[in-house]
């Protein structure tokens, strides 16, 4: 199954490898600002892909995935500061960061596994709203419980730079993370589970009747998606260096993950990249220096997007491509 | 050399003019001195953001109208390059980096420590100074950063002068309760209140913590009514302060002394409460009638007049603090006889200067000196904000004891 | 005595929550659309009322009818012009993003028109209070509660007793059947959205009298509406009222018993639990009966 998929997508894979190689040289040729923009694009792509594991593949749209960005960030930060301690982080920052990353991912996976069974019984809008609620609960608790330091803020230990500039370090970390998530998404999509999920997305009850273990599949995707989102949260938090509740539990993170997918094309693998690149370039580069209108323009773009390109750019392209082929074959 | 190559490459590659860093303008026209930074113009801190922004703009406009400034024999016109960070740290860090790439050397600050700290980490690494009038949380000044300066003492040190005032009162209050909201600034400010008041011999009755956004305080107020303190001290942002005050009046919750960290300074707050505002205490950092000498505007009064000519928005003390950031920068450059950011940083650290905002002197960590730049105590009297303590700065006589809400005139 | 005070405060707060959420509930019940711009419409109501009060000195409670009229028109046009288009071309879930985009635009417009400063509406009676024994409640909150209950009652009357109300309910339960009976479903959806926006505007007016407000507050009112609807049930004024009152009580009781910093956390915890146990809310979906 996998070998066949690899063969079928060989051009895409070659293109992706080329893209990764090109992305890897970016910090050496572009200005730091553009590296930071690249960092945001990679983060957003990774988030979009992690979201799509559940939202795009299984059709469970989470409106509260920022829960795992925040949980990952705070779990890792508190683990590094309190469990490992400043001394450990100073002598072996790399190991410390790696352990923190694992702690953050583990916290997200455990939390997701705990709520998965009851929450995944909900469908459609009810699941979306429940996830929004989960994010709010975690955010409020982080803010209100003294030990979590959400309101005072948490200063995260620095991680080694290997002689690179800070933004380049995080750029590479996010590049690696995004590539890994992309690979996972590719494997899932082309494995047995991926087909089961596709069936589920179309009609969950029928899929279950036909013997697809829907319960197990969706719980797996939920936990996987949460852990990967958490990993990105950990890296993001370290790139800021200091976080409060408000910097990692952000409703706009949750909504943007959906926007990237919708804009690029939901359920596709290249969609989140296209969506993230367009959104980040527009909001932070093109609209960056608009002092008081950028929010209005971002909102207007969202509206225009859903109305004008309801299937996203990939969906739109695919549609055009098919109708073009149809016309060609129809022509005598 | 490498830098030039990189730029050229980028110019070739870059499609849109917008994506490119603005080019360093040449030598032909008057030299430009650029100040960059972020201000929160949307989101919860937008009110303060706009005030600080107008302060910067007032100082820059005035100085340019005077023909610019002379630094070591060269004339410069000032220019602002600001963006809205929308209280989003990732947006703020990305856009701060753009300014650094644009070779902006001098930075002005945002608001809220979750924005100021990550951006300060970038300017610090680039060795560019940041003078800011928006962040007072302790964390900003305990990172060992050398290039960040603040126009206020750190939050936990802002209360020392006020405790001295409480002690000067007869009849003497003895007990106090604190209401704080759950955000970094308010929480540290409240911690400072508790520390300094306890050290001053006052007895803490209750320390209430509210969510960051409040819509109802009735449960806290019923507790205040059942365990009434002599002084109720509020650490929260202005919108919340007004809600607390309104609900206190509208439930007949009387305390001997009501002190609110932010709020009574604003005209809109005082207008909303009308006569009930009279007698409420607050920390004040600035008064337009004070007699400071300013190297550019001359005096706070003249600054206020010039501001009124250019803006319809009411003048707030954050405007004065913002203008003082620019003036402090310019004077430091003149003292350093250079616009090299490292030299300017050293001159900023050594600053001891009178401006329209008061005397400016920083601690070795960069925040305002707690004695020199600490607040005076203000009280609302006849609907106006007046300074009542210390004696040297006072503009009106203290109203004490303060009558109950329903006896106010 | 503290317990009585807590309950009284909770009920007063709950009335506000209920009115602020009823429009959201109606749209969700009838159109199936989750309106993330609901809070922004609430804020529009608050700002319009402030504007009327500030410029003419008209009592803010008297400003409610004109504000409702203006927002009804806004809601109707918004639905027919935009939401319907998004639902037709994309999906119900995607239409949520349209409403989010509109929320951003409205918030930005409010900042541009009214400045980011907080505003407050303080009519002469804003500072008076009632004292019954040891229970103290401010007059303005009592009048807010009374106005909320009156408006909720009016909405229930419209939905149950008038022609348009019957048509709205019929369309919500069986769109196809209603159409076959000659109902112009699109017009009905527009009307529903208009009614919802009008009641959001009214709640904004009332909130404006009770609380100082600023444009970013819109997000809170959208979130509150979510919780109220999930608690009480979808689509009916009585569901919103029940949800609102329960939420108000939870909020004041939590801050009294657990700590004043925790009401929001508790609110959303109950939202999640409620969804898991009984996703249709305490009273269920008012329109789901025949679906």
């Amino acid at each position: 199954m996998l070998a066949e998929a690899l063969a079928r997508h060989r051009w895409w894979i070659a293109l992706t490898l080329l893209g990764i190689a090109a992305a890897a040289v970016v910090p050496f040729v572009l200005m730091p600002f553009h590296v930071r923009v690249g960092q945001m694009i990679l983060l957003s792509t990774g988030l979009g892909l992690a979201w799509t594991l559940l939202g795009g593949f299984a059709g469970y749209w989470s409106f509260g995935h920022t829960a795992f960005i925040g949980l990952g960030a705070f779990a890792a930060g508190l683990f590094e500061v309190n469990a490992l301690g400043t001394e450990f982080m100073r002598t072996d920052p790399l190991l410390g960061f790696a352990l923190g990353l694992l702690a953050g991912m583990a916290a997200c996976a455990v939390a997701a596994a705990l709520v998965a069974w009851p929450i995944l019984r909900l469908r459609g809008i009810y699941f979306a709203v429940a996830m929004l609620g989960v994010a709010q609960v975690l955010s409020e608790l982080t803010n209100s419980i003294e030990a979590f330091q959400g309101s005072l803020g948490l200063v995260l230990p620095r991680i080694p730079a290997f002689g690179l500039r800070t933004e380049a370090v995080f750029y590479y970390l996010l590049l690696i993370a995004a590539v890994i998530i992309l690979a996972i998404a590719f494997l899932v999509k082309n494995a047995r589970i991926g087909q089961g999920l596709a069936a589920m997305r179309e009609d969950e009850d029928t899929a279950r009747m036909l013997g697809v273990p829907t319960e197990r599949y969706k719980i797996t995707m939920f936990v996987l998606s949460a852990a990967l989102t958490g990993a990105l949260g950990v890296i993001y938090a370290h790139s800021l260096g200091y976080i409060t509740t408000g910097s990692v539990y952000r409703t706009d993170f949750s909504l943007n993950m959906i926007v990237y997918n919708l804009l690029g094309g939901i359920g596709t693998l290249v969609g989140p990249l296209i969506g993230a690149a367009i959104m980040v370039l527009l909001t932070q580069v093109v609209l960056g220096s608009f002092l008081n209108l950028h929010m209005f323009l971002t909102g207007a773009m969202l509206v225009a997007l859903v109305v004008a390109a309801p299937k996203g750019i990939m969906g739109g392209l695919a549609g055009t491509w098919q109708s073009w082929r149809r016309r060609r074959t129809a022509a005598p | 050399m490498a830098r030039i190559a990189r730029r050229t490459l980028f110019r070739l590659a870059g499609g849109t003019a917008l994506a490119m860093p603005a080019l360093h303008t040449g030598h032909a026209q008057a030299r430009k001195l650029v100040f960059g930074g972020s201000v929160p113009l949307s989101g919860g801190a937008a009110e303060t953001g706009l005030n600080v922004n107008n302060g910067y703009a007032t100082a820059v406009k005035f100085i340019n109208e005077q023909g610019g400034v002379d630094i070591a024999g060269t004339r410069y016109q000032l220019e602002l390059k600001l963006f809205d960070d929308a209280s989003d740290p990732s947006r703020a860090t990305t856009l701060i980096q753009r300014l650094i790439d644009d070779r902006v050397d001098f930075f002005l600050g945002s608001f809220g420590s979750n924005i100021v700290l990550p951006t300060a980490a970038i300017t610090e690494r680039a060795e560019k100074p940041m003078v800011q009038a928006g962040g007072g949380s302790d964390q900003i000044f305990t990172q060992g950063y050398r290039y960040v300066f603040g126009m206020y003492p750190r939050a936990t040190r802002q209360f020392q002068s006020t405790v001295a005032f409480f002690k000067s009162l007869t009849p003497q209050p003895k007990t106090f309760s604190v209401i704080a909201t759950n955000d970094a600034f308010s929480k540290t400010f409240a911690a400072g209140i508790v520390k300094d008041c306890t050290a001053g011999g006052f007895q803490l009755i209750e320390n209430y913590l509210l969510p960051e956004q409040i819509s109802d305080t009735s449960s806290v107020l019923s507790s205040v009514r059942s365990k009434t303190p002599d002084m109720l001290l509020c650490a929260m942002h202005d919108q919340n302060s007004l809600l607390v005050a309104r609900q206190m009046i509208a439930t007949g919750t009387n305390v001997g002394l009501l002190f609110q960290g932010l709020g009574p300074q604003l005209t809109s707050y005082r207008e909303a409460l009308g006569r009930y505002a009279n007698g409420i205490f607050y920390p004040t950092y600035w008064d337009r009638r004070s007699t400071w000498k300013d190297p550019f505007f001359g005096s706070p009064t003249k600054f206020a007049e010039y501001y009124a000519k250019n803006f319809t928005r009411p003048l707030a003390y954050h405007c004065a603090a913002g203008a003082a950031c620019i003036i402090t920068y310019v004077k430091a450059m003149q003292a350093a006889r250079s616009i090299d950011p490292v030299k300017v940083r050293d001159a900023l650290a050594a600053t001891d200067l009178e401006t329209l905002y008061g005397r400016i002197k920083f601690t070795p960590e960069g925040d305002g000196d707690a004695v020199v730049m600490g607040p005076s105590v203000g009280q609302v009297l006849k609907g106006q904000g007046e300074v009542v303590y210390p004696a040297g700065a006072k503009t009106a006589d203290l109203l004490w004891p303060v009558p109950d809400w329903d006896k106010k005139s | 005595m503290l317990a009585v005070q807590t309950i009284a405060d909770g009920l007063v707060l709950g009335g506000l929550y209920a009115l602020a959420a009823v429009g959201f509930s109606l749209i969700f019940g009838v159109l199936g659309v989750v309106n993330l711009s609901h809070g922004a419409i609430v804020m529009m109501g608050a700002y319009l009322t402030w504007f009327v009060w500030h410029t003419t000195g008209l009592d803010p409670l008297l400003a409610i009818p004109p504000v409702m009229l203006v927002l009804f028109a806004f809601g109707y046009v918004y639905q027919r012009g935009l939401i319907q288009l998004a639902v037709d071309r994309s999906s119900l879930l995607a239409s949520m993003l349209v409403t989010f985009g509109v929320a951003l635009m409205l918030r930005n417009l409010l900042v541009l028109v009214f400045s980011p400063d907080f505003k407050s509406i303080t009519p002469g009676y804003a500072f008076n209070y009632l004292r019954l024994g040891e229970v103290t409640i401010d007059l303005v909150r009592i009048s807010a509660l009374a106005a909320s209950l009156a408006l909720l009652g009016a909405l229930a009357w419209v939905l149950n007793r008038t022609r348009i109300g019957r048509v709205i309910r019929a369309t919500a339960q069986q769109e196809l059947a209603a159409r076959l009976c000659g109902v112009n479903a699109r017009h009905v959806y527009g009307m529903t959205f208009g009614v919802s926006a009008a009641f959001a505007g009214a709640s904004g007016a009332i909130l404006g009298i009770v609380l100082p407000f600023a444009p970013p507050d819109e997000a809170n009112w959208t979130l509150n509406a979510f919780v109220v609807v999930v608690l009480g049930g979808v689509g009916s004024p009585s569901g919103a009222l029940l949800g609102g009152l329960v939420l108000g009580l939870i909020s004041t009781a939590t801050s009294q018993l657990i700590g004043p910093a925790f009401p929001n956390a508790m609110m959303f915890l109950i939202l999640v639990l409620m969804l898991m146990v009984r996703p249709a809310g305490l009273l269920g979906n008012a329109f789901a009966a025949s679906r």
Side-chain angles (χ1 to χ4, degrees):
Chain A
M1 207 166 186
L2 182 63
E4 185 209 329
L6 287 173
R8 187 151 35 94
H9 295 292
R10 60 189 183 278
W11 291 112
W12 275 112
I13 293 168
L15 196 65
T16 309
L17 291 177
L18 215 64
I20 295 169
V25 296
V26 157
F28 294 100
V29 286
L30 293 186
M31 306 284 290
F33 165 57
H34 297 97
V35 178
R36 271 183 203 277
V37 172
Q39 195 180 304
M40 282 311 295
I41 293 178
L42 289 171
L43 172 70
S44 309
T45 307
L47 289 174
L49 281 167
W51 181 90
T52 226
L53 286 176
L54 183 71
F57 292 173
Y60 277 76
W61 286 35
S62 158
F63 274 67
H65 246 47
T66 196
F68 302 115
I69 301 180
L71 183 61
F74 270 94
L78 291 168
F79 180 78
E80 287 169 30
V81 174
N82 296 336
L84 298 180
T86 36
E87 194 49 47
F88 184 97
M89 291 306 295
R90 199 168 30 243
T91 46
D92 202 344
L94 196 61
L95 180 62
F97 172 71
L99 291 175
L101 186 67
L102 286 178
M105 290 176 72
C108 289
V110 169
L114 282 178
V115 297
W117 187 76
I119 214 169
L120 282 168
R121 290 190 312 156
L122 301 169
R123 295 198 191 162
I125 211 84
Y126 289 99
F127 174 74
V129 174
M131 280 307 296
L132 195 105
V134 168
Q136 289 291 329
V137 171
L138 288 178
S139 139
E140 289 290 340
L141 290 180
T142 311
N143 217 27
S144 309
I145 294 176
E146 208 71 17
F148 295 158
Q149 297 182 43
S151 58
L152 276 184
L154 188 61
V155 178
L156 294 150
R158 287 180 204 181
I159 64 170
F162 311 109
L164 291 166
R165 297 176 57 97
T166 318
E167 68 272 359
V169 174
F170 287 106
Y171 177 89
Y172 283 122
L173 280 174
L174 288 166
L175 180 62
I176 295 168
V179 169
I180 291 175
I181 298 175
L182 179 65
I184 293 177
F186 179 82
L187 290 177
V188 167
K189 199 174 174 167
N190 290 295
R192 191 180 175 77
I193 184 170
Q195 295 176 338
L197 289 169
M200 233 175 90
R201 188 179 53 199
E202 297 311 319
D203 188 338
E204 188 169 336
D205 297 321
T206 312
R208 188 165 46 200
M209 272 191 319
L210 295 176
V212 177
T214 52
E215 201 76 13
R216 187 156 55 84
Y217 278 4
K218 63 189 185 188
I219 290 179
T220 313
M221 294 327 281
F222 186 50
V223 172
L224 188 61
S225 168
L228 294 173
T229 309
L232 291 166
V234 177
I235 304 175
Y236 172 67
H238 280 83
S239 80
L240 291 179
Y242 168 83
I243 52 168
T244 62
T245 313
S247 31
V248 284
Y249 285 101
R250 301 172 60 87
T251 314
D252 50 332
F253 266 142
S254 297
L255 294 168
N256 277 332
M257 290 183 216
I258 306 169
V259 172
Y260 304 143
N261 278 289
L262 270 186
L263 180 54
I266 199 149
T268 64
L269 294 183
V270 67
L273 171 65
I274 295 176
I278 292 178
M279 281 301 283
V280 171
L281 288 175
L282 272 175
T283 55
Q284 310 221 341
V285 180
V286 178
L287 301 180
S289 30
F290 277 79
L291 259 184
N292 45 21
L293 263 180
H294 67 95
M295 196 185 267
F296 184 87
L297 296 171
T298 310
M301 251 164 38
L302 272 181
V303 172
L305 153 74
V306 179
V307 174
K311 290 198 176 124
I313 289 174
M314 284 311 285
L317 283 182
T320 324
W321 167 245
Q322 263 160 20
S323 67
W324 181 73
R325 281 207 356 194
R326 215 175 303 133
R327 223 175 308 139
R328 246 180 46 147
T329 43
Chain B
M1 189 60 198
R3 180 138 212 157
I4 294 170
R6 205 187 276 175
R7 283 183 156 263
T8 329
L9 184 109
F10 186 73
R11 215 177 304 165
L12 292 171
T16 66
L18 281 160
M20 256 195 296
L23 297 173
H24 219 48
T25 36
H27 317 279
Q29 309 131 341
R31 297 238 180 150
K32 285 253 167 78
L33 194 54
V34 180
F35 296 94
S38 73
V39 277
L41 289 184
S42 42
E47 182 157 23
T48 318
L50 199 56
N51 286 336
V52 175
N53 178 56
N54 288 359
Y56 296 152
T58 311
V60 165
K61 188 167 190 296
F62 183 85
I63 290 173
N64 285 344
E65 281 171 11
Q66 307 289 306
V69 285
D70 184 87
I71 294 161
T74 315
R75 282 235 147 246
Y76 292 93
Q77 290 277 309
L78 309 186
E79 191 190 325
L80 286 175
K81 265 194 194 172
L82 302 173
F83 60 85
D84 176 19
D85 57 46
S87 304
D88 170 357
S90 42
R91 184 180 165 88
T93 46
T94 312
L95 293 175
I96 280 281
Q97 186 74 56
R98 169 192 266 188
L99 294 175
I100 289 190
D101 292 3
D102 275 2
R103 307 222 205 129
V104 171
D105 281 336
F106 305 102
F107 286 85
L108 302 161
S110 180
F111 184 87
S113 46
N114 66 334
I115 309 283
V116 173
L117 254 179
T119 50
I122 298 175
T123 52
E124 179 76 22
R125 197 158 34 81
E127 305 194 325
K128 316 283 188 200
M130 175 190 278
V131 177
Q132 48 94 13
S137 296
D138 283 35
Q139 291 101 323
I140 300 170
F141 305 105
T142 51
Q143 302 299 315
Y145 289 167
R146 297 176 65 242
Y147 287 82
V148 182
F149 298 92
M151 282 288 155
Y152 316 106
R154 67 189 74 173
T156 49
R157 289 186 185 170
Q158 286 185 9
F159 214 67
Q160 290 165 3
S161 50
T162 314
V163 171
F165 162 72
F166 292 157
K167 281 184 165 170
S168 75
L169 292 170
T170 36
Q172 164 91 89
K174 292 195 176 53
T175 58
F176 71 103
S177 286
V178 179
I179 309 181
T181 50
N182 207 347
D183 55 273
F185 174 77
S186 305
K187 250 177 128 171
T188 29
F189 187 46
I193 293 181
V194 173
K195 178 173 66 75
D196 290 334
C197 281
T198 317
F202 296 99
Q203 191 204 334
L204 176 67
I205 294 189
E206 198 76 58
N207 194 348
Y208 304 98
L209 190 64
L210 290 169
E212 199 171 341
Q213 287 271 346
I214 50 182
S215 55
D216 181 52
T217 58
S218 36
S219 355
V220 166
L221 293 185
S222 51
S223 163
V224 168
R225 285 197 297 278
S226 64
K227 293 178 274 185
T228 309
D230 294 343
M231 309 190 287
L232 183 63
L233 314 170
C234 303
M236 56 190 70
H237 292 298
D238 29 35
Q239 191 180 343
N240 290 332
S241 297
L242 177 58
L243 176 66
V244 169
R246 272 187 62 170
Q247 275 201 289
M248 284 182 73
I249 304 166
T251 52
T253 307
N254 282 294
V255 291
L257 179 153
L258 174 64
F259 176 94
Q260 298 200 305
L262 288 168
Q265 295 93 341
L266 298 175
T267 322
S268 53
Y269 172 100
R270 297 192 298 265
E271 276 173 1
L273 291 186
R275 67 190 163 96
Y276 295 106
N278 292 335
I280 298 177
F281 291 93
Y282 58 93
T284 173
Y285 294 85
W286 186 68
D287 189 280
R288 71 177 73 187
R289 291 160 294 184
S290 51
T291 53
W292 302 107
K293 301 251 177 314
D294 185 88
F296 292 94
F297 288 96
S299 70
T301 321
K302 290 200 181 120
F303 168 76
E305 284 162 7
Y306 182 79
Y307 178 91
K309 258 185 258 160
N310 290 285
F311 292 96
T312 49
R313 191 177 163 75
L315 182 61
Y317 76 94
H318 276 111
C319 306
C325 290
I326 303 277
I327 286 163
T328 309
Y329 254 131
V330 170
K331 291 307 280 184
M333 289 164 182
Q334 288 175 335
R337 300 188 53 74
S338 162
I339 56 162
D340 173 61
V342 179
K343 287 184 185 144
V344 173
R345 181 263 154 208
D346 292 339
L348 281 169
T351 295
D352 189 351
L353 162 82
E354 234 181 72
T355 67
L356 66 103
Y357 179 64
R359 204 173 131 205
I360 311 281
K361 190 174 188 306
F362 302 110
T363 66
E365 293 81 36
D367 57 333
D369 186 288
V371 179
V372 175
M373 298 179 72
S376 322
V377 178
Q379 189 180 28
V380 183
L381 294 166
K382 300 198 179 86
Q384 296 297 314
E386 304 282 357
V387 183
V388 294
Y389 182 90
K394 95 181 197 183
T395 58
D397 284 328
L398 169 77
L399 171 68
W400 183 258
V402 179
D404 281 356
W405 295 116
D406 49 8
K407 299 199 179 56
K408 282 192 181 177
S409 54
Chain C
M1 218 54 230
L2 202 57
V4 181
Q5 177 82 50
T6 306
I7 291 171
D9 291 335
L11 292 177
V12 170
L13 194 61
L16 295 178
Y17 286 152
L19 185 63
V22 71
F24 180 86
S25 166
L26 192 62
I27 293 182
F28 189 22
V30 176
L31 283 78
V33 169
V34 169
N35 180 15
L36 292 177
S37 56
H38 182 76
I41 301 177
V42 172
M43 294 318 292
M44 277 170 75
Y47 273 97
L48 284 176
T49 312
W50 176 85
F51 181 75
V52 171
W53 171 78
H54 193 74
T55 49
T56 67
L58 188 69
D59 187 283
L61 288 175
L62 294 179
I64 290 179
V67 166
M68 285 179 79
L69 215 58
V70 171
L71 285 174
F72 176 85
F74 171 81
Y76 187 86
V77 174
Y78 178 20
Q79 203 282 334
R80 296 290 309 255
L82 202 57
I83 308 270
Q84 190 62 49
L85 197 63
V87 174
D88 288 348
R89 293 186 53 101
S90 192
S91 65
L92 276 181
L93 274 171
S95 73
M96 245 172 118
L97 289 174
V98 169
T99 61
F100 176 63
V102 171
L104 288 182
M105 291 163 73
L106 288 178
R107 185 207 280 204
N108 202 157
L109 282 179
L110 287 176
V111 170
L112 288 181
V113 175
F114 293 102
S115 91
D117 302 0
F118 68 80
K119 297 273 186 272
S120 61
I121 304 173
T122 44
Y125 50 88
F127 301 107
N128 298 334
Y129 55 89
L130 278 182
R131 186 163 278 168
L132 301 164
E134 281 180 43
V135 178
T136 316
I137 297 175
D138 40 322
L139 203 58
V140 84
R141 278 173 192 251
I142 297 222
S143 36
L145 178 65
S148 303
L149 293 178
L151 283 162
L152 285 172
L155 181 60
W157 180 79
V158 168
L159 283 178
N160 291 321
R161 293 271 177 272
T162 65
R163 204 192 98 77
I164 175 72
R166 276 195 294 274
V167 174
I168 287 178
R169 282 184 297 134
T171 315
Q173 286 168 359
Q174 278 292 342
E175 186 190 330
L176 189 64
R179 275 204 208 162
L180 289 174
C181 297
V183 170
N184 178 351
R186 301 199 158 211
H187 175 67
V188 171
Y189 285 158
M191 295 292 282
T192 311
F193 215 105
V195 169
S196 155
F199 277 84
S203 79
I206 292 175
L207 289 169
I209 309 171
V210 174
L211 302 169
F213 52 92
D217 297 351
E218 53 99 2
N220 289 342
W221 291 108
T222 306
L223 286 174
N224 279 348
F226 264 112
V227 185
V228 169
V229 169
V230 170
L231 272 180
V234 176
S236 65
S238 49
L241 183 62
L242 182 67
L245 294 181
V246 171
L247 182 62
L249 286 175
I250 291 171
S251 178
T252 47
T254 310
S255 84
Q256 202 64 259
L257 301 175
I258 303 182
F262 287 92
N264 295 350
M266 184 58 91
M267 204 162 105
F268 289 107
L269 192 63
I270 293 202
L271 168 102
V272 175
L273 293 178
M274 194 63 201
L275 275 171
M276 291 172 179
V277 182
R278 199 182 151 86
L282 292 174
L283 294 190
N285 187 332
F287 305 121
S290 58
R291 263 196 183 155

